[in-house]
Amino acid sequence: MSLVLENVGLKSGADTIIDAVSLRFDRGTMNILLGPTLSGKTSLMRLMAGLDKPSSGHVSVHGKDVAKVPVRRRSVAMVYQQFVNYPSLTVYENIASPLRVAGVAKAEIETRVAEAARVLRLEPFLTRLPAQLSGGQQQRTAIARALVKRAELVLLDEPLANLDYKLREELRVELPRLFAESGSILVYATTEPSEALLLGGRTATLWQGGLTQFGDTATVYRQPGNIDSARVFSDPPLNELTVRKHGARAKLPDGRDVSAAWLAPDLPDGEWRLGFRVESAEVDAPDDAAASDASGGTSGRFNGTVAVTEISGSESFVHVDVGFATWVCLVLGVHDWTPGSKVSVRVDPRGVYVFDQAGARVAVAAPQRSAAYATTG
Amino acid sequence: MNDRPINNRAWLFVLPVLVFVLFSSLLPMMTVVNYSFQDTMGQNNFFWNGIAWFQNLLDPSTDIGGRFGNALLRNLIFSLVVLFIEVPLGIAVAICIPRHGWKVGATLVMIALPLLIPWNVVGTIWQIFARADIGLLGAALTRMGIHYNDTQDPTSAWATIVVMDVWHWTGMVALLAYAGLKSIPDAFYQAARIDGAGRWSVFRNIELPKLQKVLVIAVLLRFMESFMIYTEPATVTGGGPGEATSFLSLDLVKIALGQVDLGNAAALSLVYNLITLSICWVFFTVMTQLDQRKDL
């Protein structure tokens, strides 16, 4: 069993909702659709489920085009961000509802509902109405409804977004395990890079209705194929910088001309877009040499002022205004810089992705960290 | 426990409202209460009459008691009939209203039009509309050989008043139900499609339960308004033929202004008021109970 999307596009009036997406999901795999709000995750899922018809391209299951197969005849289950259950039916009847519609024998309904209720720990609540449950229990009921159906395609559309932190952590671990035995194709939409990394599997990054990359989650994270993928897969946002390299010098957006020693040595002359994540940006004491970099000397180091510090868990994200951009830097431990204090940002050259003008990633040999830092003096 | 500062000057802000309520509700109300316990021989001389007016009113063997009982029954039947037609019809209309595009505005305005017409104008429109000699409806029915005459035949009179009320107020139920339907997230409909549920099942298991709260409000509003109906029958039938469409409010006006029987009229309006109040209280209790069942 595999689900194949071939150049699938969706238009609404003059707007392009989905732009020629090609994907292939195999049986028993966890596939993540990662993208910000309005990037087309839900629209793509609706196309996969058959709720909408693509304006162009083909969706095929088992190698057969399913354009003419109505939703109810497809083997699909879906869980939504909102807790969707039938308000007037008990938890038991809710879980049993897809089986009843499918005309499954009574005895089998009972065993399958009991099994799903056991796995999702809903046994004590089977006679209650959804409104009498907590949010987590309501979503577990919705998940049980999807599970009991034993669908070939299970679509999870930000299923944990409306749950509190603790429940999310719990269910995030359980979900892939629950559906793993069924051999279903699992598609999981999320806006959060960290969630994609935790779930593993394969990730498709979406940006403005287009697919920017599809591959093993870790690979997509480490080797973004283009600037959009890198942006989508970065939280806090990707730090960016455009430089014009000419020989051993590089021109910064603010017009300063600095040494290019911190850039990849094999990078040809020209204009390049650079991107690096928080962990490749370190905060350091202000560097006098960086300020007067026009003379040569220091590079890969940018003076700036602290705009704001966000503390998350035991990490601090320091937003530094470097004149031509505001970058986010990661500092381990809880620190609280006074806004306005002078610091410098040291960029780790190994974490810098180089993109061309069109945003495509350019493979370059990263310079040695020691070599770059040697110039820091 | 209560360590919030108490500032008695705050009462000053409430004072205007209290004065307004005093003159707009409390004083007129107390005048009615006064009349209901007193009798007069004219010259503005009143004397204490105890609860005689109320005893009269609630005793079906007296003239006033008989009229009261009959009118109350008519009111209840009218309210029930109107509710049983308007609520299901309103839901059906709401389901048919388009959900997107320019048609939404056009449809909603069309539906709301009858609600914007003053009540006595509604009565006048229907009085002419229903006339058996020149009215579009009345004349058409008569030409078709149907026996129809709303000034002579009680069945015709009732039918006219019920149809008029349905025409006038179904739009409000439809608008409320439409608002309720719009608030159901699309995900519910998607889930039903994926489950393979049919249209009836979607209505029965998703739309109706989600509409419950809004429908309680619709029923409450429609009950109250239909129970107090006055203007339209007063204009169209004037309570006739005979007593056929004499609702409580029409009777009340006849007794108070026609016969200037202030004692009986005052007792009747108080009891009428109490009945409306107690039914509203029951509805209110049901509503707040529903509120506690979150997320329905």
Side-chain angles (χ1 to χ4, degrees):
Chain A
M1 156 83 186
S2 63
L3 174 77
V4 179
L5 274 66
E6 262 177 281
N7 285 315
V8 167
L10 182 68
K11 279 189 181 359
S12 167
D15 297 335
T16 302
I17 314 274
I18 298 290
D19 186 17
V21 169
S22 296
L23 281 170
R24 181 198 167 85
F25 296 153
D26 288 313
R27 191 184 139 83
T29 54
M30 163 62 102
N31 305 279
I32 295 147
L33 300 179
L34 177 66
T37 317
L38 295 179
S39 61
K41 303 185 299 294
T42 303
S43 303
L44 204 53
M45 284 194 153
R46 290 178 59 101
L47 289 170
M48 291 177 191
L51 289 164
D52 291 329
K53 296 225 177 316
S55 334
S56 56
H58 303 280
V59 179
S60 52
V61 176
H62 295 302
K64 263 193 291 186
D65 194 321
V66 291
K68 296 213 168 62
V69 183
V71 185
R72 64 171 65 194
R73 299 246 311 279
R74 297 194 192 184
S75 181
V76 180
M78 194 158 176
V79 178
Y80 305 84
Q81 179 177 347
Q82 300 112 318
F83 312 137
V84 175
N85 295 299
Y86 295 107
S88 60
L89 301 182
T90 61
V91 170
Y92 181 94
E93 284 303 320
N94 259 294
I95 302 175
S97 62
L99 301 178
R100 290 212 196 284
V101 174
V104 175
K106 203 166 186 280
E108 190 175 350
I109 291 181
E110 264 171 42
T111 49
R112 274 161 78 169
V113 172
E115 167 69 11
R118 186 184 60 76
V119 176
L120 284 151
R121 299 195 305 278
L122 286 166
E123 282 158 320
F125 316 113
L126 284 174
T127 55
R128 293 210 202 162
L129 291 173
Q132 298 165 319
L133 300 177
S134 70
Q137 290 158 351
Q138 287 183 42
Q139 192 64 322
R140 288 217 296 271
T141 307
I143 293 168
R145 267 199 13 247
L147 184 66
V148 83
K149 208 175 167 187
R150 295 186 189 160
E152 290 174 335
L153 176 62
V154 178
L155 303 167
L156 306 164
D157 191 359
E158 299 188 52
L160 309 181
N162 284 5
L163 294 175
D164 64 63
Y165 176 75
K166 256 256 145 17
L167 270 166
R168 265 162 88 161
E169 303 279 283
E170 246 180 73
L171 276 175
R172 186 147 48 203
V173 179
E174 282 177 34
L175 267 179
R177 192 174 51 76
L178 285 175
F179 288 96
E181 294 165 19
S182 64
S184 314
I185 297 173
L186 223 57
V187 184
Y188 190 111
T190 180
T191 55
E192 292 171 42
S194 57
E195 194 163 36
L197 288 168
L198 278 165
L199 289 165
R202 291 164 72 73
T203 291
T205 46
L206 294 173
W207 176 251
Q208 292 182 347
L211 174 70
T212 56
Q213 199 172 353
F214 181 49
D216 286 333
T217 302
T219 311
V220 176
Y221 179 81
R222 287 201 205 100
Q223 306 293 335
N226 47 62
I227 197 160
D228 292 330
S229 270
R231 281 177 181 159
V232 168
F233 221 146
S234 299
D235 181 42
L238 191 72
N239 297 317
E240 293 178 38
L241 163 71
T242 306
V243 296
R244 176 179 288 282
K245 190 184 178 207
H246 53 100
R249 312 287 297 170
K251 210 173 185 105
L252 299 181
D254 60 359
R256 277 190 298 152
D257 203 37
V258 299
S259 155
W262 54 288
L263 290 170
D266 59 348
L267 188 68
D269 283 1
E271 200 157 288
W272 303 102
R273 296 161 82 178
L274 310 181
F276 52 97
R277 292 199 177 93
V278 279
E279 60 266 28
S280 300
E282 288 175 45
V283 178
D284 209 340
D287 179 14
D288 293 336
S292 55
D293 187 81
S295 61
T298 315
S299 59
R301 203 163 161 170
F302 302 86
N303 277 347
T305 51
V306 173
V308 70
T309 307
E310 287 175 272
I311 295 165
S312 160
S314 57
E315 294 168 348
S316 310
F317 296 107
V318 189
H319 296 238
V320 180
D321 181 359
V322 290
F324 46 84
T326 300
W327 289 342
V328 190
C329 314
L330 170 68
V331 185
L332 294 180
V334 174
H335 301 270
D336 201 2
W337 269 275
T338 323
S341 38
K342 301 239 174 282
V343 292
S344 73
V345 177
R346 193 156 59 172
V347 179
D348 180 349
R350 294 174 309 169
V352 176
Y353 301 114
V354 182
F355 306 98
D356 64 19
Q357 280 303 299
R361 171 100 180 278
V362 179
V364 288
Q368 294 291 305
R369 183 186 171 97
S370 54
Y373 280 177
T375 59
T376 315
Chain B
M1 282 286 284
N2 187 358
D3 49 4
R4 280 180 298 179
I6 292 171
N7 185 346
N8 280 319
R9 272 177 297 180
W11 287 105
L12 281 177
F13 291 100
V14 188
L15 206 61
V17 174
L18 288 180
V19 171
F20 181 75
V21 170
L22 189 73
F23 280 96
S24 70
S25 309
L26 289 179
L27 288 180
M29 185 84 171
M30 282 321 290
T31 316
V32 174
V33 172
N34 246 351
Y35 286 143
S36 73
F37 290 106
Q38 296 185 0
D39 201 354
T40 179
M41 297 294 171
Q43 278 102 43
N44 221 14
N45 290 324
F46 286 88
F47 52 89
W48 182 251
N49 195 30
I51 56 168
W53 297 127
F54 292 95
Q55 278 172 333
N56 259 352
L57 187 71
L58 298 177
D59 179 1
S61 62
T62 63
D63 170 53
I64 184 80
R67 279 169 76 182
F68 172 71
N70 289 337
L72 180 61
L73 191 66
R74 273 181 220 117
N75 262 48
L76 287 172
I77 292 174
F78 177 74
S79 289
L80 284 180
V81 168
V82 152
L83 279 179
F84 269 102
I85 297 174
E86 286 175 14
V87 173
L89 189 61
I91 297 172
V93 169
I95 287 174
C96 299
I97 299 176
R99 305 280 173 92
H100 308 283
W102 62 270
K103 288 180 198 153
V104 177
T107 318
L108 292 184
V109 168
M110 297 273 279
I111 289 173
L113 267 183
L115 300 172
L116 303 174
I117 301 174
W119 298 357
N120 56 339
V121 178
V122 170
T124 313
I125 291 174
W126 276 79
Q127 193 204 14
I128 298 168
F129 188 49
R131 278 179 63 161
D133 50 354
I134 56 160
L136 185 61
L137 174 72
L141 287 174
T142 313
R143 288 277 174 80
M144 285 193 289
I146 297 167
H147 175 69
Y148 174 88
N149 190 322
D150 69 326
T151 54
Q152 285 164 22
D153 170 36
T155 317
S156 301
W158 261 84
T160 309
I161 296 207
V162 167
V163 170
M164 174 176 61
D165 199 82
V166 168
W167 174 83
H168 195 178
W169 289 109
T170 303
M172 191 196 69
V173 180
L175 291 182
L176 282 170
Y178 179 70
L181 285 174
K182 282 275 274 189
S183 72
I184 302 175
D186 195 41
F188 280 84
Y189 293 105
Q190 277 181 44
R193 275 178 73 190
I194 287 179
D195 276 2
R199 187 67 190 90
W200 171 249
S201 172
V202 168
F203 176 70
R204 175 73 197 75
N205 293 320
I206 297 173
E207 290 175 332
L208 204 51
K210 286 274 179 189
L211 281 181
Q212 199 173 342
K213 267 187 177 172
V214 131
L215 288 182
V216 170
I217 294 169
V219 168
L220 176 65
L221 288 176
R222 280 313 301 134
F223 179 83
M224 273 167 35
E225 204 283 328
S226 64
F227 197 70
M228 298 189 295
I229 188 165
Y230 173 76
T231 321
E232 299 98 318
T235 327
V236 179
T237 64
E243 297 277 280
T245 54
S246 280
F247 297 109
L248 278 174
S249 54
L250 274 92
D251 239 13
L252 181 61
V253 171
K254 270 183 216 162
I255 297 167
L257 303 180
Q259 299 158 227
V260 204
D261 191 350
L262 293 182
N264 273 321
L268 175 61
S269 32
L270 285 182
V271 172
Y272 190 7
N273 205 353
L274 277 178
I275 294 172
T276 315
L277 265 181
S278 14
I279 294 175
C280 289
W281 179 79
V282 170
F283 271 119
F284 182 76
T285 316
V286 173
M287 264 165 68
T288 38
Q289 292 281 317
L290 276 177
D291 265 348
Q292 282 161 9
R293 294 170 55 188
K294 290 178 297 185
D295 207 37
L296 251 178

